Structures are given as structure tokens and as C-alpha cells.
Coordinates of all heavy atoms in Angstrom, one line a residue:
M363 N 3.5 -3.8 -24.5 CA 4.6 -3.3 -23.6 C 5.0 -4.3 -22.5 O 6.2 -4.4 -22.2 CB 4.2 -1.9 -23.0 CG 4.1 -0.8 -24.0 SD 3.6 0.7 -23.2 CE 5.2 1.3 -22.7
V364 N 4.0 -4.8 -21.9 CA 4.2 -5.8 -20.8 C 5.0 -7.0 -21.4 O 6.0 -7.5 -20.8 CB 2.9 -6.2 -20.1 CG1 3.2 -7.4 -19.1 CG2 2.3 -5.0 -19.4
L365 N 4.5 -7.5 -22.5 CA 5.2 -8.7 -23.1 C 6.6 -8.4 -23.5 O 7.5 -9.2 -23.4 CB 4.4 -9.2 -24.3 CG 3.0 -9.9 -24.0 CD1 2.3 -10.3 -25.3 CD2 3.2 -11.1 -23.1
E366 N 6.8 -7.2 -24.1 CA 8.2 -6.8 -24.5 C 9.1 -6.6 -23.3 O 10.2 -7.0 -23.3 CB 8.1 -5.5 -25.3 CG 9.5 -4.9 -25.6 CD 10.4 -5.8 -26.3 OE1 9.9 -6.8 -27.0 OE2 11.6 -5.6 -26.3
A367 N 8.5 -6.1 -22.2 CA 9.3 -6.0 -20.9 C 9.7 -7.4 -20.4 O 10.8 -7.6 -20.0 CB 8.5 -5.2 -19.9
A368 N 8.7 -8.3 -20.5 CA 9.0 -9.7 -20.0 C 10.0 -10.3 -20.9 O 10.9 -11.0 -20.5 CB 7.7 -10.5 -20.0
R369 N 9.9 -10.1 -22.3 CA 10.8 -10.7 -23.2 C 12.2 -10.2 -22.9 O 13.2 -10.9 -22.9 CB 10.4 -10.4 -24.6 CG 11.3 -11.1 -25.7 CD 11.4 -10.3 -27.0 NE 12.0 -9.0 -26.8 CZ 13.3 -8.8 -26.6 NH1 14.1 -9.8 -26.6 NH2 13.8 -7.6 -26.5
A370 N 12.3 -8.9 -22.8 CA 13.7 -8.2 -22.5 C 14.2 -8.8 -21.2 O 15.5 -9.0 -21.1 CB 13.5 -6.7 -22.5
H371 N 13.4 -8.9 -20.2 CA 13.9 -9.4 -18.9 C 14.4 -10.9 -19.1 O 15.5 -11.2 -18.6 CB 12.7 -9.4 -17.9 CG 13.2 -9.9 -16.5 ND1 14.0 -9.2 -15.7 CD2 12.9 -11.1 -15.9 CE1 14.2 -9.9 -14.6 NE2 13.6 -11.1 -14.7
D372 N 13.6 -11.7 -19.8 CA 14.1 -13.1 -20.0 C 15.4 -13.2 -20.7 O 16.2 -14.0 -20.5 CB 13.0 -13.9 -20.8 CG 11.8 -14.2 -19.9 OD1 11.9 -14.1 -18.7 OD2 10.8 -14.7 -20.4
A373 N 15.6 -12.2 -21.6 CA 16.8 -12.2 -22.4 C 17.9 -11.4 -21.7 O 19.0 -11.3 -22.2 CB 16.5 -11.5 -23.8
G374 N 17.7 -11.0 -20.5 CA 18.7 -10.2 -19.7 C 19.0 -8.9 -20.3 O 20.0 -8.3 -20.1
E375 N 18.0 -8.3 -21.1 CA 18.3 -7.0 -21.8 C 17.4 -5.9 -21.2 O 17.4 -4.8 -21.8 CB 17.9 -7.2 -23.2 CG 18.6 -8.2 -24.0 CD 17.9 -8.5 -25.4 OE1 16.8 -8.0 -25.6 OE2 18.5 -9.2 -26.2
D376 N 16.6 -6.2 -20.1 CA 15.7 -5.1 -19.7 C 16.4 -3.9 -19.2 O 17.4 -4.1 -18.4 CB 14.7 -5.7 -18.7 CG 15.3 -6.3 -17.5 OD1 16.3 -7.0 -17.7 OD2 14.8 -6.1 -16.4
R377 N 16.0 -2.8 -19.6 CA 16.5 -1.5 -19.1 C 15.3 -0.7 -18.7 O 14.9 -0.8 -17.6 CB 17.4 -0.9 -20.2 CG 18.5 -1.8 -20.6 CD 19.5 -1.2 -21.5 NE 18.8 -0.4 -22.5 CZ 19.5 0.2 -23.5 NH1 20.8 0.1 -23.6 NH2 18.8 0.9 -24.4
H378 N 14.8 0.1 -19.6 CA 13.7 1.0 -19.2 C 12.3 0.4 -19.5 O 11.3 1.0 -19.2 CB 13.8 2.3 -19.9 CG 13.9 2.3 -21.4 ND1 15.0 2.1 -22.1 CD2 12.9 2.3 -22.3 CE1 14.8 2.0 -23.4 NE2 13.5 2.2 -23.5
E379 N 12.3 -0.8 -20.2 CA 11.0 -1.4 -20.6 C 10.0 -1.6 -19.4 O 8.8 -1.3 -19.6 CB 11.2 -2.7 -21.4 CG 11.8 -2.5 -22.7 CD 13.4 -2.6 -22.7 OE1 13.9 -2.5 -21.6 OE2 14.0 -2.6 -23.8
P380 N 10.5 -2.2 -18.3 CA 9.5 -2.3 -17.2 C 9.0 -1.0 -16.7 O 7.8 -0.9 -16.4 CB 10.3 -3.0 -16.1 CG 11.4 -3.7 -16.9 CD 11.8 -2.8 -18.0
S381 N 9.8 0.0 -16.6 CA 9.3 1.3 -16.2 C 8.3 1.9 -17.2 O 7.3 2.5 -16.8 CB 10.5 2.3 -16.0 OG 11.3 2.0 -14.9
C382 N 8.6 1.7 -18.5 CA 7.6 2.2 -19.5 C 6.3 1.5 -19.3 O 5.2 2.2 -19.4 CB 8.1 1.9 -20.9 SG 9.5 2.9 -21.4
A383 N 6.3 0.2 -19.1 CA 5.0 -0.5 -19.0 C 4.3 -0.1 -17.7 O 3.1 0.1 -17.7 CB 5.3 -2.0 -19.0
K384 N 5.0 0.0 -16.6 CA 4.4 0.4 -15.3 C 3.8 1.8 -15.4 O 2.7 2.1 -15.0 CB 5.4 0.3 -14.2 CG 4.8 0.1 -12.8 CD 4.4 1.4 -12.2 CE 3.9 1.2 -10.7 NZ 3.6 2.5 -10.1
Y385 N 4.6 2.7 -16.0 CA 4.2 4.1 -16.1 C 2.9 4.2 -17.0 O 1.9 4.8 -16.7 CB 5.3 4.9 -16.7 CG 5.0 6.4 -16.9 CD1 4.5 7.2 -16.0 CD2 5.3 6.9 -18.2 CE1 4.2 8.5 -16.2 CE2 5.1 8.3 -18.4 CZ 4.5 9.0 -17.4 OH 4.2 10.4 -17.7
F386 N 3.0 3.6 -18.2 CA 1.9 3.7 -19.2 C 0.6 3.1 -18.6 O -0.4 3.7 -18.7 CB 2.3 3.1 -20.5 CG 1.2 3.1 -21.5 CD1 1.0 4.3 -22.3 CD2 0.3 2.1 -21.7 CE1 0.0 4.3 -23.2 CE2 -0.7 2.1 -22.6 CZ -0.9 3.3 -23.4
C387 N 0.8 1.9 -18.1 CA -0.4 1.2 -17.6 C -1.1 1.9 -16.4 O -2.3 2.0 -16.4 CB -0.1 -0.3 -17.3 SG 0.4 -1.3 -18.7
S388 N -0.3 2.4 -15.5 CA -0.9 3.0 -14.3 C -1.5 4.3 -14.7 O -2.6 4.7 -14.1 CB 0.1 3.1 -13.2 OG 1.3 3.7 -13.6
E389 N -0.9 5.1 -15.6 CA -1.5 6.3 -16.0 C -2.8 6.1 -16.8 O -3.8 6.7 -16.6 CB -0.5 7.1 -16.9 CG 0.7 7.6 -16.1 CD 0.4 8.8 -15.2 OE1 -0.5 9.6 -15.5 OE2 1.1 9.0 -14.2
M390 N -2.7 5.1 -17.7 CA -3.9 4.8 -18.6 C -5.1 4.3 -17.8 O -6.2 4.7 -18.0 CB -3.5 3.8 -19.7 CG -4.6 3.4 -20.6 SD -5.4 4.8 -21.3 CE -4.2 5.3 -22.6
V391 N -4.8 3.4 -16.8 CA -6.0 2.8 -16.0 C -6.6 4.0 -15.2 O -7.8 4.0 -14.9 CB -5.6 1.6 -15.2 CG1 -4.8 2.0 -14.0 CG2 -6.8 0.8 -14.8
G392 N -5.8 5.0 -14.8 CA -6.3 6.1 -14.1 C -7.3 6.9 -15.0 O -8.3 7.3 -14.5
R393 N -6.9 7.1 -16.2 CA -7.7 7.8 -17.2 C -9.0 7.0 -17.5 O -10.1 7.6 -17.6 CB -7.0 8.1 -18.5 CG -5.9 9.2 -18.3 CD -4.9 9.2 -19.4 NE -5.4 9.4 -20.7 CZ -4.7 9.4 -21.8 NH1 -3.4 9.2 -21.7 NH2 -5.2 9.6 -23.0
V394 N -8.9 5.7 -17.6 CA -10.1 4.8 -17.8 C -11.0 4.9 -16.7 O -12.2 5.1 -16.8 CB -9.6 3.4 -18.1 CG1 -10.8 2.4 -18.1 CG2 -8.9 3.3 -19.4
A395 N -10.5 4.8 -15.4 CA -11.3 4.9 -14.2 C -12.0 6.2 -14.1 O -13.2 6.3 -13.8 CB -10.5 4.6 -13.0
D396 N -11.3 7.3 -14.4 CA -11.9 8.6 -14.4 C -13.0 8.7 -15.4 O -14.1 9.3 -15.0 CB -10.8 9.6 -14.7 CG -11.3 11.1 -14.6 OD1 -11.4 11.5 -13.4 OD2 -11.6 11.7 -15.6
R397 N -12.8 8.2 -16.6 CA -13.9 8.2 -17.6 C -15.1 7.4 -17.1 O -16.3 7.8 -17.3 CB -13.3 7.7 -18.9 CG -14.3 7.8 -20.1 CD -14.4 9.3 -20.6 NE -13.1 9.8 -21.0 CZ -12.5 9.7 -22.2 NH1 -13.1 9.1 -23.1 NH2 -11.4 10.3 -22.4
A398 N -14.8 6.3 -16.5 CA -15.9 5.4 -16.0 C -16.8 6.1 -14.9 O -18.0 6.0 -15.0 CB -15.4 4.1 -15.4
V399 N -16.1 6.8 -14.0 CA -16.8 7.6 -13.0 C -17.7 8.6 -13.7 O -18.9 8.8 -13.4 CB -15.9 8.3 -12.0 CG1 -16.6 9.3 -11.1 CG2 -15.2 7.3 -11.2
Q400 N -17.2 9.3 -14.7 CA -17.9 10.3 -15.5 C -19.1 9.7 -16.1 O -20.2 10.3 -16.1 CB -17.0 10.9 -16.5 CG -17.5 12.2 -17.1 CD -17.6 13.4 -16.1 OE1 -16.8 13.3 -15.1 NE2 -18.4 14.3 -16.3
V401 N -19.0 8.5 -16.7 CA -20.1 7.8 -17.4 C -21.2 7.6 -16.4 O -22.4 7.7 -16.7 CB -19.6 6.5 -18.1 CG1 -20.8 5.7 -18.5 CG2 -18.7 6.8 -19.3
Y402 N -20.8 7.2 -15.1 CA -21.9 6.9 -14.1 C -22.5 8.1 -13.5 O -23.4 8.1 -12.8 CB -21.2 6.0 -13.0 CG -21.3 4.5 -13.3 CD1 -20.5 4.0 -14.3 CD2 -22.1 3.7 -12.5 CE1 -20.5 2.6 -14.5 CE2 -22.1 2.3 -12.8 CZ -21.3 1.8 -13.7 OH -21.3 0.5 -14.0
G403 N -21.8 9.3 -13.8 CA -22.3 10.5 -13.2 C -22.2 10.5 -11.7 O -21.2 9.9 -11.2
G404 N -23.2 11.1 -11.0 CA -23.1 11.2 -9.5 C -23.0 9.8 -8.9 O -22.4 9.7 -7.8
M405 N -23.7 8.8 -9.5 CA -23.6 7.5 -8.9 C -22.2 6.9 -8.8 O -21.8 6.2 -7.9 CB -24.5 6.5 -9.7 CG -25.9 6.5 -9.4 SD -26.3 6.3 -7.6 CE -25.8 4.5 -7.5
G406 N -21.3 7.3 -9.8 CA -20.0 6.9 -9.9 C -19.1 7.4 -8.7 O -18.0 6.9 -8.5
Y407 N -19.6 8.4 -8.0 CA -18.9 9.0 -6.9 C -19.3 8.5 -5.6 O -18.7 8.8 -4.5 CB -19.2 10.5 -7.0 CG -18.3 11.4 -6.1 CD1 -17.0 11.6 -6.5 CD2 -18.8 12.0 -5.0 CE1 -16.1 12.4 -5.7 CE2 -18.0 12.8 -4.2 CZ -16.7 13.0 -4.5 OH -15.9 13.8 -3.8
M408 N -20.3 7.7 -5.5 CA -20.9 7.2 -4.3 C -20.2 6.0 -3.8 O -20.0 5.0 -4.5 CB -22.4 6.9 -4.4 CG -23.2 8.1 -5.0 SD -23.0 9.6 -4.1 CE -24.0 9.2 -2.6
R409 N -19.9 6.0 -2.5 CA -19.4 4.8 -1.8 C -20.3 3.6 -2.0 O -21.5 3.8 -2.0 CB -19.2 5.0 -0.3 CG -18.0 5.8 0.1 CD -16.9 4.9 0.5 NE -15.6 5.6 0.4 CZ -14.8 5.9 1.5 NH1 -15.3 5.6 2.7 NH2 -13.7 6.4 1.3
G410 N -19.7 2.4 -2.2 CA -20.5 1.2 -2.4 C -20.8 0.9 -3.8 O -21.2 -0.3 -4.1
V411 N -20.5 1.8 -4.7 CA -20.7 1.6 -6.2 C -19.3 1.1 -6.7 O -18.3 1.7 -6.4 CB -21.2 2.8 -6.9 CG1 -21.3 2.6 -8.4 CG2 -22.5 3.3 -6.4
A412 N -19.3 0.0 -7.5 CA -18.1 -0.6 -7.8 C -17.1 0.3 -8.5 O -15.9 0.3 -8.3 CB -18.4 -1.8 -8.7
V413 N -17.6 1.2 -9.4 CA -16.7 2.1 -10.1 C -16.0 3.1 -9.2 O -14.9 3.5 -9.5 CB -17.5 2.8 -11.3 CG1 -18.4 3.9 -10.8 CG2 -16.6 3.2 -12.4
E414 N -16.7 3.4 -8.1 CA -16.0 4.4 -7.1 C -14.8 3.6 -6.5 O -13.7 4.2 -6.3 CB -17.0 4.8 -6.1 CG -16.4 5.8 -5.0 CD -15.8 5.1 -3.8 OE1 -16.1 3.9 -3.6 OE2 -15.0 5.7 -3.1
R415 N -15.0 2.4 -6.1 CA -13.9 1.6 -5.5 C -12.8 1.4 -6.5 O -11.6 1.5 -6.2 CB -14.5 0.2 -5.0 CG -13.5 -0.7 -4.4 CD -12.9 -0.1 -3.1 NE -11.7 -0.7 -2.7 CZ -11.6 -1.7 -1.9 NH1 -12.7 -2.2 -1.4 NH2 -10.4 -2.2 -1.6
F416 N -13.2 1.1 -7.8 CA -12.2 1.0 -8.8 C -11.3 2.2 -9.0 O -10.1 2.2 -9.1 CB -12.9 0.6 -10.1 CG -12.0 0.3 -11.3 CD1 -11.2 -0.8 -11.3 CD2 -11.9 1.2 -12.4 CE1 -10.3 -1.1 -12.4 CE2 -11.1 0.9 -13.4 CZ -10.3 -0.2 -13.4
Y417 N -12.0 3.4 -9.0 CA -11.3 4.7 -9.2 C -10.3 4.9 -8.0 O -9.2 5.3 -8.2 CB -12.4 5.7 -9.2 CG -11.9 7.1 -9.3 CD1 -11.5 7.6 -10.6 CD2 -11.9 8.0 -8.2 CE1 -11.1 9.0 -10.7 CE2 -11.4 9.3 -8.4 CZ -11.1 9.8 -9.6 OH -10.6 11.1 -9.8
R418 N -10.8 4.6 -6.8 CA -9.9 4.7 -5.6 C -8.7 3.7 -5.7 O -7.6 4.1 -5.4 CB -10.7 4.5 -4.4 CG -10.4 5.4 -3.3 CD -11.5 5.6 -2.2 NE -12.6 4.6 -2.3 CZ -12.7 3.6 -1.4 NH1 -11.8 3.4 -0.5 NH2 -13.8 2.8 -1.5
D419 N -9.0 2.5 -6.0 CA -8.0 1.5 -6.1 C -6.9 1.8 -7.1 O -5.7 1.7 -6.8 CB -8.6 0.1 -6.4 CG -9.3 -0.5 -5.1 OD1 -9.1 0.1 -4.0 OD2 -9.9 -1.5 -5.3
V420 N -7.3 2.2 -8.3 CA -6.3 2.4 -9.3 C -5.5 3.6 -9.1 O -4.4 3.7 -9.7 CB -6.9 2.4 -10.8 CG1 -7.7 1.1 -11.0 CG2 -7.7 3.6 -11.0
R421 N -5.9 4.5 -8.3 CA -5.1 5.7 -8.0 C -3.8 5.4 -7.3 O -2.8 6.0 -7.5 CB -5.9 6.7 -7.1 CG -5.3 8.0 -6.8 CD -5.0 8.8 -8.1 NE -4.3 10.0 -7.9 CZ -3.0 10.1 -7.9 NH1 -2.3 9.0 -8.0 NH2 -2.4 11.3 -7.8
L422 N -3.8 4.2 -6.6 CA -2.6 3.8 -5.9 C -1.5 3.4 -6.9 O -0.3 3.5 -6.6 CB -3.0 2.6 -5.0 CG -1.8 1.9 -4.2 CD1 -1.2 3.0 -3.3 CD2 -2.3 0.7 -3.5
F423 N -1.9 2.9 -8.1 CA -0.9 2.4 -9.0 C 0.1 3.5 -9.4 O 1.2 3.2 -9.8 CB -1.6 1.8 -10.3 CG -2.5 0.6 -10.0 CD1 -3.5 0.3 -10.9 CD2 -2.3 -0.1 -8.9 CE1 -4.3 -0.8 -10.7 CE2 -3.1 -1.2 -8.6 CZ -4.1 -1.6 -9.5
R424 N -0.3 4.7 -9.4 CA 0.6 5.8 -9.7 C 1.6 6.2 -8.6 O 2.4 7.0 -8.7 CB -0.1 7.0 -10.2 CG -0.7 6.9 -11.6 CD -2.0 7.7 -11.8 NE -1.8 9.1 -11.7 CZ -2.8 9.9 -11.6 NH1 -4.0 9.5 -11.6 NH2 -2.6 11.2 -11.4
I425 N 1.4 5.5 -7.4 CA 2.1 5.8 -6.2 C 3.1 4.7 -5.8 O 4.3 4.9 -5.6 CB 1.2 6.2 -5.1 CG1 0.4 7.5 -5.4 CG2 2.0 6.4 -3.8 CD1 -0.6 7.8 -4.4
Y426 N 2.5 3.5 -5.7 CA 3.4 2.4 -5.1 C 4.2 1.7 -6.2 O 4.0 1.9 -7.4 CB 2.7 1.5 -4.2 CG 1.7 0.4 -4.8 CD1 1.2 -0.5 -4.0 CD2 1.4 0.4 -6.1 CE1 0.3 -1.5 -4.5 CE2 0.5 -0.6 -6.6 CZ 0.0 -1.5 -5.8 OH -0.8 -2.5 -6.3
E427 N 5.2 0.9 -5.8 CA 6.1 0.2 -6.7 C 6.8 1.2 -7.6 O 7.0 0.9 -8.8 CB 5.4 -0.9 -7.5 CG 4.9 -2.0 -6.6 CD 6.0 -2.8 -6.0 OE1 7.1 -2.9 -6.6 OE2 5.7 -3.4 -4.9
G428 N 7.1 2.4 -7.1 CA 7.7 3.4 -8.0 C 6.7 4.4 -8.5 O 5.9 4.0 -9.4
T429 N 6.7 5.6 -8.0 CA 5.7 6.6 -8.5 C 5.9 6.9 -10.0 O 7.0 6.6 -10.5 CB 5.8 7.9 -7.7 OG1 7.0 8.5 -8.0 CG2 5.6 7.7 -6.2
S430 N 4.9 7.5 -10.6 CA 5.1 7.9 -12.0 C 6.3 8.7 -12.2 O 7.0 8.5 -13.2 CB 3.8 8.6 -12.5 OG 2.7 7.7 -12.6
Q431 N 6.6 9.6 -11.3 CA 7.7 10.5 -11.5 C 9.0 9.7 -11.4 O 10.0 10.0 -12.1 CB 7.7 11.6 -10.4 CG 6.6 12.7 -10.6 CD 5.2 12.1 -10.3 OE1 5.0 11.3 -9.4 NE2 4.2 12.6 -11.0
I432 N 9.0 8.7 -10.5 CA 10.3 7.9 -10.4 C 10.4 7.1 -11.7 O 11.6 6.8 -12.2 CB 10.2 7.1 -9.1 CG1 10.2 8.0 -7.9 CG2 11.4 6.1 -9.1 CD1 11.4 9.0 -7.8
Q433 N 9.3 6.6 -12.2 CA 9.4 5.8 -13.5 C 10.0 6.7 -14.6 O 10.8 6.3 -15.4 CB 8.0 5.3 -13.9 CG 7.4 4.4 -12.9 CD 8.2 3.2 -12.5 OE1 9.1 2.7 -13.2 NE2 7.9 2.7 -11.3
Q434 N 9.5 8.0 -14.6 CA 10.0 8.9 -15.7 C 11.5 9.1 -15.5 O 12.2 9.2 -16.5 CB 9.2 10.3 -15.5 CG 7.8 10.3 -16.0 CD 7.1 11.6 -15.7 OE1 7.4 12.3 -14.7 NE2 6.1 11.9 -16.5
L435 N 11.9 9.3 -14.2 CA 13.3 9.5 -14.0 C 14.1 8.3 -14.5 O 15.2 8.4 -15.1 CB 13.6 9.7 -12.5 CG 13.3 11.1 -11.9 CD1 13.6 11.0 -10.4 CD2 14.1 12.1 -12.6
A436 N 13.6 7.1 -14.2 CA 14.3 5.8 -14.6 C 14.4 5.7 -16.1 O 15.4 5.4 -16.7 CB 13.6 4.6 -14.0
I437 N 13.3 6.1 -16.8 CA 13.3 6.0 -18.3 C 14.3 7.0 -18.8 O 15.1 6.7 -19.7 CB 11.8 6.3 -18.8 CG1 10.9 5.1 -18.4 CG2 11.9 6.4 -20.3 CD1 9.4 5.5 -18.5
A438 N 14.2 8.3 -18.3 CA 15.1 9.3 -18.8 C 16.5 9.0 -18.6 O 17.4 9.1 -19.5 CB 14.7 10.6 -18.2
R439 N 16.8 8.5 -17.4 CA 18.2 8.1 -17.1 C 18.7 7.1 -18.0 O 19.9 7.2 -18.5 CB 18.3 7.6 -15.6 CG 19.7 7.6 -15.1 CD 19.7 7.2 -13.6 NE 18.9 8.0 -12.7 CZ 18.0 7.6 -11.9 NH1 17.7 6.3 -11.8 NH2 17.3 8.4 -11.1
D440 N 17.9 6.1 -18.4 CA 18.3 5.0 -19.2 C 18.5 5.5 -20.7 O 19.5 5.2 -21.4 CB 17.3 3.9 -19.2 CG 17.9 2.7 -20.0 OD1 19.0 2.2 -19.6 OD2 17.2 2.2 -20.9
L441 N 17.5 6.4 -21.1 CA 17.6 6.9 -22.5 C 18.8 7.8 -22.7 O 19.4 7.9 -23.8 CB 16.3 7.6 -22.9 CG 15.1 6.7 -23.0 CD1 13.8 7.5 -23.3 CD2 15.3 5.7 -24.1
L442 N 19.2 8.5 -21.6 CA 20.3 9.5 -21.7 C 21.6 8.8 -21.6 O 22.7 9.4 -21.8 CB 20.1 10.6 -20.7 CG 18.9 11.5 -20.9 CD1 18.7 12.5 -19.7 CD2 19.1 12.3 -22.2
R443 N 21.6 7.5 -21.2 CA 22.9 6.8 -20.9 C 23.7 6.6 -22.2 O 23.2 6.4 -23.2 CB 22.6 5.5 -20.2 CG 23.8 5.0 -19.5 CD 23.5 3.9 -18.4 NE 22.2 3.3 -18.4 CZ 22.0 2.0 -18.6 NH1 23.0 1.2 -18.9 NH2 20.8 1.5 -18.4
Ligands
FAD793 C1 -1.7 1.4 0.1 C2 -0.2 1.4 0.0 C3 0.5 0.2 0.0 C4 1.9 0.2 0.0 N1 2.5 -1.0 0.1 C5 3.9 -1.0 0.1 C6 4.6 -2.3 0.2 O1 3.9 -3.3 0.3 N2 5.9 -2.2 0.3 C7 6.6 -1.1 0.2 O2 7.8 -1.1 0.3 N3 6.0 0.1 0.1 C8 4.6 0.2 0.1 N4 4.0 1.4 0.0 C9 4.8 2.6 0.0 C10 4.9 3.2 -1.4 O3 5.8 2.4 -2.2 C11 5.4 4.6 -1.3 O4 4.3 5.4 -0.9 C12 5.9 5.2 -2.7 O5 7.1 4.6 -3.0 C13 6.1 6.7 -2.6 O6 6.9 7.0 -1.6 P1 6.4 8.2 -0.6 O7 5.1 7.9 -0.1 O8 7.5 8.3 0.4 O9 6.4 9.5 -1.4 P2 7.6 10.5 -1.7 O10 8.8 9.7 -2.1 O11 7.7 11.4 -0.6 O12 7.0 11.2 -3.0 C14 6.0 12.3 -2.9 C15 5.9 12.8 -4.3 O13 7.1 13.4 -4.8 C16 7.5 12.8 -6.0 N5 8.9 12.6 -6.1 C17 9.7 12.0 -5.1 N6 11.0 12.1 -5.6 C18 11.0 12.7 -6.7 C19 12.1 13.0 -7.7 N7 13.3 12.7 -7.4 N8 11.7 13.7 -8.8 C20 10.4 14.0 -9.0 N9 9.4 13.7 -8.2 C21 9.7 13.1 -7.1 C22 6.8 11.4 -6.0 O14 6.6 11.0 -7.4 C23 5.5 11.8 -5.4 O15 4.6 12.3 -6.3 C24 2.6 1.4 0.0 C25 1.9 2.7 -0.1 C26 0.5 2.7 -0.1 C27 -0.2 4.0 -0.1

């Protein structure tokens, strides 16, 4: 998806591709981080453990540079055009 978004951008054709890539990747990494915390059990929740920091850091991806809801709006707007 990222490569397709880059290709479309280079060709001057990008529309909803960047939003799709940003939305999918930020949602997916959130699920992966959540699963990683679960694998670590209680340790995964403790400050100072790398997976806890990862979980906290990736949560931001669904908020900045366009929240997930705003990406959905951008994708829908483009598809309905
Ligand atoms: C650590 C951090 C670093 C940041 N760095 C930067 C930076 O470097 N530069 C910069 O410009 N900004 C930065 N931001 C700001 C960030 O881009 C905004 O927080 C983000 O755009 C969301 O805006 P908001 O916080 O005003 O939330 P709001 O816009 O108030 O949104 C609140 C909730 O409502 C939802 N929502 C809003 N509008 C709609 C709608 N029309 N339909 C459906 N749902 C909607 C949102 O998806 C969200 O879930 C940073 C934020 C953080 C936390």
C-alpha cells in the first residue's frame, strides 16, 4: 500500500491511496502492539519495558497527521466522488 501510494504520488495520480496506507498501517500497528503486550502479560504493562513504550508510542499514530476518522472521511469522500 505504501509503495502504491508513492507510485501514485510520483505519477500525480494520488487520491485516497495515502489515506488508505496511513489508516491501515496505524490501525494494524496498534493491533500488533496490543498483541505484544498480551504476550508479555503483566510485564508488558510495566513502565520501563520496551513493549509498554511501543504500545504507548504507536497509539499516537491513530491521532496525529490525520486521525483514523479523518482518513476514513478522506477515503469515503474520494470514493464517492
Ligand atoms: C504527541 C503529539 C504530537 C503532535 N505533533 C503535531 C505536529 O507536529 N504538528 C501538528 O500540526 N500537530 C501535531 N499534533 C496535533 C495532532 O495533529 C492533533 O491532535 C490531531 O490532528 C487531532 O486533532 P485534535 O487533537 O484537535 O482532535 P479533534 O479534532 O478534536 O478530534 C477528536 C476526535 O474526534 C474525531 N473527529 C474529529 N472530526 C471528526 C469528523 N468530522 N468525523 C468523525 N470524527 C471526527 C477525531 O478522529 C478524534 O477521534 C500532535 C499531537 C500529539 C498528541
Side-chain angles (χ1 to χ4, degrees):
M363 289 179 89
V364 171
L365 288 177
E366 173 55 23
R369 188 209 60 75
H371 180 76
D372 284 348
E375 304 167 351
D376 56 319
R377 299 186 321 184
H378 58 271
E379 290 87 352
S381 288
C382 288
K384 202 278 184 179
Y385 176 54
F386 179 82
C387 293
S388 52
E389 292 285 331
M390 179 53 75
V391 75
R393 287 162 60 183
V394 169
D396 184 78
R397 188 73 59 87
V399 170
Q400 194 68 22
V401 167
Y402 272 71
M405 279 304 293
Y407 193 72
M408 306 304 286
R409 280 262 160 114
V411 176
V413 76
E414 181 272 341
R415 178 65 197 268
F416 183 69
Y417 181 77
R418 219 157 16 101
D419 283 351
V420 303
R421 185 61 183 85
L422 179 61
F423 296 159
R424 284 151 61 193
I425 297 173
Y426 75 172
E427 296 291 336
T429 65
S430 288
Q431 289 71 35
I432 296 304
Q433 304 303 336
Q434 289 174 328
L435 283 178
I437 295 164
R439 196 177 300 127
D440 188 57
L441 292 177
L442 293 171
R443 201 161 11 119

